[in-house]
Amino acid sequence: MEKKEMLYEGKAKKVYTTEDPDVLIVSYKDDATAFNGLKKGTIVGKGAINNRMTNFIFKKLEEQGVPTHLVEELNDRETAVKKVEIVPLEVIMRNYSAGSFAKKMGMEEGVKFKCPTLEFSYKNDDLGDPFINSYYALALELATQEEIDDITKYAFKVNEVLQQYFDALNIDLIDFKIEFGRYHGKIILADEISPDTCRLWDKDTHEKLDKDRFRRDLGGVEDAYEEVFRRLGIQ
Ligand code: TMP
């Protein structure tokens, strides 16, 4: 599978067309941004780690009945994926208080919830990805009720599978963000699942093993990404 032309360059990935109109190639970059692009930097090796970790996790999710855009890993940084129309929702699952939730609710970080919680943001950089609920999504025609139902069902399933998986690696899955796309009329999981899009804390030390190290200038960013990759045991 060969790249033809670049379709789009985002903050962390480039996307290329291929000879197959149903298939794109994503190429993961080492570039990192935070706060809607205000903070910029490089995390050496991140592109390869996020690419390989996403594919590894997407395969596990497929086995558990969650359809994904994964077609084939091409090399360390590049993967062939199904061409979807992205649903403009950031779907956020939380198991513990952290980040914007902790701030909004005036809570300390790291408090475990009685049950996982789901929230949506409208994926719109100009508006700063505002928090919305499913009624906003329907009113703005971002998704249909049926799509929201599928997204909700899959989001809880992804959380269940990931929580169990990370638990065995001595990692608490604090929260994460996923995105979905439409592929021939069906909702499938797209984008990535990586330390860029999850909060992952070591169970014993509560050390942050994710992009918060970059967002908050905590240092040891590369080491944290490598540690998660190492624990996953990806060959
Ligand atoms: P938040 O607490 O800042 O709302 O973030 C919740 C989760 O979503 C956290 O795991 C980080 C992830 N996230 C992204 O993947 N992209 C983003 O642009 C933001 C703001 C958060």
Side-chain angles (χ1 to χ4, degrees), residues 90 92 94 98-100 175-177 196-199 215:
E90 302 214 329
I92 298 165
R94 301 180 190 270
S100 67
D175 56 28
F176 61 93
K177 183 267 302 180
D196 270 15
T197 61
C198 302
R199 285 197 174 94
R215 295 189 188 99

Side-chain angles (χ1 to χ4, degrees), residues 214-233:
F214 170 79
R215 295 189 188 99
R216 303 179 187 189
D217 294 320
L218 300 176
V221 186
E222 279 91 355
D223 287 348
Y225 279 68
E226 278 163 23
E227 176 63 17
V228 173
F229 190 70
R230 191 189 63 73
R231 288 196 203 183
L232 284 165

